[in-house]
């Protein structure tokens, strides 16, 4: 019997055949609106693939992208892997030096970029050793350089069928953000991404807390808010195409524009990091659309960092249904989702409910997950014993490109080591308490920076907070909180400490966890994926306790 290949091509062909008349819309802030369909997009991806072949791109060649969440990026997600080449979305938030390193390390042969990045690309070109083909996306705003424009490229192609390719061929590569040393490259095969898409679709369509029963009766809309340069946009461009949902691509992230789109396009689901959710909840124009959003009740799936309980409460008040997902660059990314079993009852106590809601969640199918000690022994499922999350799944990258030592370190004992420190709950859920690199070790004991952040964020004057470990002569490290206050709000260092002392009295945290210092600032630094960059804060305040 001939083996049927698990490829993105076969998913895309199915979407075209069954959901060909469903809309895919590009509705950016600057108004270059495009309303297409899956059927039309399928033909355009065939033409794009043929044109890339004419330009010398072949099987195994790597095609880098620098783009926002545009309809052209959506097309590249299908066209490049579909022709047997390798899609390589570049994190546009990284430093130019890191981008040069990544492109050269990956040996990208083509670079397709949005006109917004034209000045950057022109500066990078002399340093990019492997790139032979440059294509610009003018986005209806006129050419920014002399490089070929993508619409002209697509017009030159014929709608030739995609070739038959092996499910074991590499479909995409992606690089970590390099928070500890140089970025590391991970790769994913068609088989890995097809299984990730199928399992994600099962979870989003059928699991309690994520499924929308009304979407079985009529067409629902997904808004692609997660940056598509970040871990395949969490796989949602492929997943929601397979589900037959209508999709909306908003271009460059603009909070006012996004809340407008949610209301006007009746968005039922979207996802992003906590910072993006916070920016939507504090968008100046939110008040214009909040009643409509409360009527729609869109699910907002938070990933990339822990969801503070206070942020979850605020999201609920604004009409969103907050949910949690967990994964990382090396895992394609989804490992767990904060869904609920059909047999379990929701806690009546609000604090208990939000504790359950913000837990990292349960593994999705085909994910084998444990929380282990340093000897790879599972820790007790008591919600107290701390260990590291290790996983095995069909879509976890098998190795780091060209880095045998880091591969061995990550895969020691036959499990992929995530570097996330967590507790295992009796019901099988996990709750991340910190990143291994962010956990604070004081006097030989661990302090969870995430738990302290969660509690500090409940203070009515606090907008954002980051807790870091700062060197201390006696204790090794001590916690320091860096706080951004809400506009017009006031609070002192003693106000924050007194607020935390309430949780000490309630037995939620020990007294020795109280931060040694509270620092107020106007803005927290962010990584390229929108997370708070603690590496910068640690360097900035390394001497604050000396």
């Amino acid at each position: 019997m001939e083996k049927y290949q698990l490829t993105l091509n076969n998913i895309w062909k199915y979407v075209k055949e069954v959901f060909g008349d469903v809309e895919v819309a590009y509705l950016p802030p600057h108004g270059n609106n495009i309303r297409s369909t899956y059927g039309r997009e399928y033909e355009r991806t065939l033409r794009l693939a043929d044109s890339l072949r004419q330009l010398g791109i072949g099987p195994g060649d790597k095609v880098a992208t620098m783009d926002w969440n545009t309809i052209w990026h959506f097309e590249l997600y299908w066209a490049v892997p579909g022709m047997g080449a390798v899609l390589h979305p570049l994190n546009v938030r990284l430093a130019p030096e890191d981008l040069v390193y990544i492109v050269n390390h990956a040996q990208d042969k083509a670079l397709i970029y949005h006109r917004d990045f034209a000045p950057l690309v022109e500066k990078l070109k002399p340093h990019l050793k492997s790139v032979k083909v440059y294509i610009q996306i003018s986005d209806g705003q006129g050419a920014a350089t002399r490089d070929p424009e993508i619409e002209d490229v697509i017009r030159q192609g014929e709608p030739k069928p995609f070739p038959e390719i092996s499910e074991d061929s590499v479909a995409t590569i992606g690089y970590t953000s390099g928070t500890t040393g140089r970025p590391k490259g991970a790769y994913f095969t068609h088989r890995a991404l097809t299984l990730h898409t199928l399992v994600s679709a099962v979870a989003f369509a059928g699991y309690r807390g994520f499924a929308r029963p009304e979407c079985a009766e009529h067409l629902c809309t997904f808004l692609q808010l997660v940056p598509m340069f970040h871990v395949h946009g969490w796989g949602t461009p492929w997943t929601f195409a397979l589900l037959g949902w209508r999709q909306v691509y908003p271009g460059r992230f603009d909070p006012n524009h996004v809340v407008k789109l949610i209301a006007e396009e009746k968005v039922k689901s979207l996802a992003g990091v906590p910072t993006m959710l916070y920016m939507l909840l504090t968008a100046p124009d939110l008040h214009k659309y909040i009643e409509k959003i409360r009527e729609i009740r869109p699910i907002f799936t938070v990933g990339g960092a822990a969801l503070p309980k206070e942020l979850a409460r605020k999201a609920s008040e604004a009409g969103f249904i907050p949910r949690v997902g967990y994964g990382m660059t090396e895992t394609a990314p989804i490992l767990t989702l904060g869904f609920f079993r059909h047999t379990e009852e929701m806690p009546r106590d609000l604090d208990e409910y939000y504790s359950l809601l913000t837990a990292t969640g349960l593994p999705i199918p085909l994910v084998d997950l444990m929380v282990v000690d340093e000897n790879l022994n599972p820790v007790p499922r008591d919600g107290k014993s701390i260990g590291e999350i290790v996983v095995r799944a069909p879509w976890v990258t098998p190795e780091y490109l060209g880095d045998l030592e880091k591969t061995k370190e990550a895969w020691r004992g036959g499990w992929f080591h995530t570097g996330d420190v967590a507790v295992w709950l009796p019901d099988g859920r996990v709750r991340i308490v910190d990143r291994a690199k962010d956990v604070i070790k004081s006097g030989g004991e661990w302090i969870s920076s995430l738990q302290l952040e969660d509690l500090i964020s409940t203070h009515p004057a606090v907008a954002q907070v980051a807790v870091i470990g700062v060197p201390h002569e006696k204790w090794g490290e001590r916690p320091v909180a860096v706080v951004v206050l809400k506009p017009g709000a006031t609070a002192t260092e003693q106000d924050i400490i007194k607020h935390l002392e309430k949780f000490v009295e309630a037995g939620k945290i020990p007294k020795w966890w109280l931060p040694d210092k509270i620092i107020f600032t106007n803005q927290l630094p962010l990584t390229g994926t929108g997370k708070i960059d603690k590496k910068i804060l640690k360097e900035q305040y390394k001497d604050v306790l000396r």
Side-chain angles (χ1 to χ4, degrees):
M1 179 180 289
E2 183 178 351
K3 182 180 178 182
Y4 184 82
Q5 300 297 307
L6 300 179
T7 64
L8 293 173
N9 289 1
N10 286 324
I11 287 181
W12 193 213
K13 184 179 179 181
Y14 174 84
V15 171
K16 182 262 296 186
E17 292 289 346
V18 178
F19 304 118
D21 60 344
V22 173
E23 184 179 67
V24 182
Y26 174 49
L27 308 174
H30 60 80
N32 180 35
N33 293 354
I34 298 172
R35 294 187 183 272
S36 185
T37 63
Y38 285 126
R40 194 175 305 140
E41 289 304 295
Y42 184 85
E43 180 179 335
R44 281 174 57 86
T45 59
L46 295 181
R47 292 182 182 276
L48 176 55
D50 185 54
S51 292
L52 292 174
R53 280 190 291 266
Q54 294 177 34
L55 291 170
I57 306 301
D61 287 336
K62 299 178 182 72
V63 178
T65 62
M66 293 181 70
D67 194 11
W68 308 114
N69 292 8
T70 72
I71 199 161
W72 298 279
H73 217 170
F74 175 76
E75 291 165 351
L76 288 162
Y77 261 55
W78 298 102
V80 175
M83 64 184 290
V86 181
L87 179 71
H88 180 196
L90 296 172
N91 186 338
V92 301
R93 303 297 189 189
L94 294 181
E97 181 181 333
D98 282 336
L99 289 171
V100 169
Y101 170 81
I102 288 170
V103 171
N104 289 335
H105 187 267
Q107 296 185 310
D108 294 323
K109 190 172 182 179
L111 174 56
I112 302 176
Y113 62 94
H114 192 279
R115 72 184 314 278
D116 286 359
F117 306 111
L120 173 60
V121 171
E122 290 301 307
K123 291 179 182 178
L124 297 181
K125 279 182 179 180
H127 308 286
L128 304 182
K129 302 172 184 177
S130 57
V131 179
K132 307 299 181 186
V133 176
Y134 291 91
I135 299 171
Q136 64 173 309
I137 299 170
S138 66
D139 200 355
Q141 301 175 77
T145 68
R146 294 184 178 181
D147 290 326
E149 206 283 323
I150 195 166
E151 283 299 321
D152 294 331
V153 171
I154 292 173
R155 278 191 288 269
Q156 292 170 6
E158 297 292 331
K160 297 178 181 178
F162 287 126
E164 292 293 326
I165 55 178
S166 168
E167 63 182 30
D168 296 319
S169 60
V170 178
T172 69
I173 58 173
Y175 279 70
T176 64
S177 55
T179 52
T180 53
R182 283 290 193 183
K184 301 185 292 291
Y187 69 84
F188 306 91
T189 64
H190 275 267
R191 180 178 185 273
L193 295 179
T194 298
L195 288 171
H196 183 273
T197 301
L198 290 167
V199 171
S200 299
V202 167
F204 282 113
Y207 284 9
R208 182 182 172 198
F210 285 87
R212 304 297 299 248
E214 68 271 28
C215 297
E217 300 297 328
H218 64 264
L219 185 61
C220 284
T221 298
F222 177 79
L223 176 69
Q224 184 61 46
L225 188 62
V226 179
M228 295 174 73
F229 55 74
H230 184 215
V231 209
H232 311 122
W234 299 357
T236 48
W238 297 314
T239 297
F240 282 90
L242 177 59
L243 288 173
W245 280 43
R246 176 176 177 264
Q247 293 195 56
V248 170
Y249 287 76
R252 183 174 183 170
F253 177 60
D254 178 318
N256 283 329
H257 181 63
V258 169
V259 294
K260 177 184 177 185
L261 286 180
I262 294 170
E264 293 184 351
E265 300 297 320
K266 298 180 176 61
V267 171
K268 287 288 187 179
S269 183
L270 65 163
V273 298
T275 305
M276 300 179 91
L277 176 57
Y278 171 79
M279 293 173 75
L280 294 186
L281 297 178
T282 55
D285 288 353
L286 177 64
H287 70 279
K288 299 178 184 178
Y289 308 104
I290 193 165
E291 291 307 317
K292 188 64 177 176
I293 291 173
R294 285 171 175 162
E295 179 184 326
I296 296 168
R297 298 284 291 155
I299 292 175
F300 193 112
T301 304
V302 170
L307 173 62
K309 284 193 287 187
E310 188 62 22
L311 185 59
R313 286 191 182 97
K314 291 173 182 175
S316 296
E317 290 168 2
F320 293 93
I321 302 174
R323 293 290 181 260
V324 171
Y326 164 65
M328 54 199 307
T329 298
E330 296 92 332
T331 65
I334 303 177
L335 295 172
T336 72
L337 288 173
F339 61 89
F340 310 113
R341 296 179 177 89
H342 294 289
T343 54
E344 67 184 325
E345 295 183 9
M346 293 296 98
R348 293 184 179 180
D349 179 81
L350 276 180
D351 192 61
E352 289 182 20
Y353 169 74
Y354 280 105
S355 290
L356 177 67
L357 186 150
T358 56
T360 309
L362 291 159
I364 62 174
L366 304 186
V367 172
D368 196 1
L369 180 149
M370 295 195 300
V371 182
V372 300
D373 62 20
E374 58 187 11
N375 296 315
L376 211 59
N377 297 314
V379 302
R381 298 191 185 196
D382 57 8
K384 299 177 182 178
S385 302
I386 294 175
E388 183 189 11
I389 296 177
V390 296
V391 296
R392 295 185 295 207
W395 45 82
V396 179
T397 188
E399 62 181 303
Y400 290 117
L401 293 167
D403 198 329
L404 182 60
E405 288 305 310
K406 283 192 169 58
T407 297
K408 286 181 178 179
E409 182 184 345
W411 276 102
R412 60 191 184 276
W415 291 78
F416 183 80
H417 291 250
T418 66
D420 286 315
V421 179
V423 295
W424 215 348
L425 303 177
D427 64 4
R429 286 182 171 84
V430 290
R431 180 183 295 279
I432 293 177
V433 297
D434 231 323
R435 285 289 292 165
K437 66 180 187 299
D438 291 333
V439 70
I440 301 164
K441 200 151 192 181
S442 184
E445 300 291 340
W446 282 355
I447 296 174
S448 169
S449 66
L450 295 183
Q451 190 172 354
L452 281 176
E453 289 165 0
D454 194 34
L455 297 176
I456 293 171
S457 70
T458 63
H459 189 286
V462 172
Q464 290 179 294
V465 58
V467 174
I468 56 174
V470 171
H472 190 278
E473 185 178 1
K474 181 178 180 180
W475 301 110
E477 283 186 322
R478 287 297 298 156
V480 168
V482 187
V483 173
V484 177
L485 297 178
K486 294 176 181 176
T490 59
T492 65
E493 183 173 5
Q494 197 56 38
D495 290 336
I496 303 298
I497 295 298
K498 285 183 177 179
H499 178 71
L500 284 176
E501 286 174 345
K502 298 176 185 176
F503 299 104
V504 173
E505 294 170 7
K508 291 187 177 293
I509 57 172
K511 187 173 183 178
W512 61 273
W513 275 33
L514 293 177
D516 281 23
K517 193 171 186 63
I518 308 293
I519 297 170
F520 295 97
T521 186
N522 293 326
Q523 186 175 320
L524 294 173
L526 301 179
T527 67
T529 52
K531 306 174 190 177
I532 295 171
D533 195 333
K534 292 189 176 182
K535 181 178 67 173
I536 292 177
L537 292 175
K538 287 177 181 179
E539 177 62 27
Q540 185 176 353
Y541 298 113
K542 63 183 179 182
D543 298 323
V544 76
L545 296 182
R546 291 180 181 175

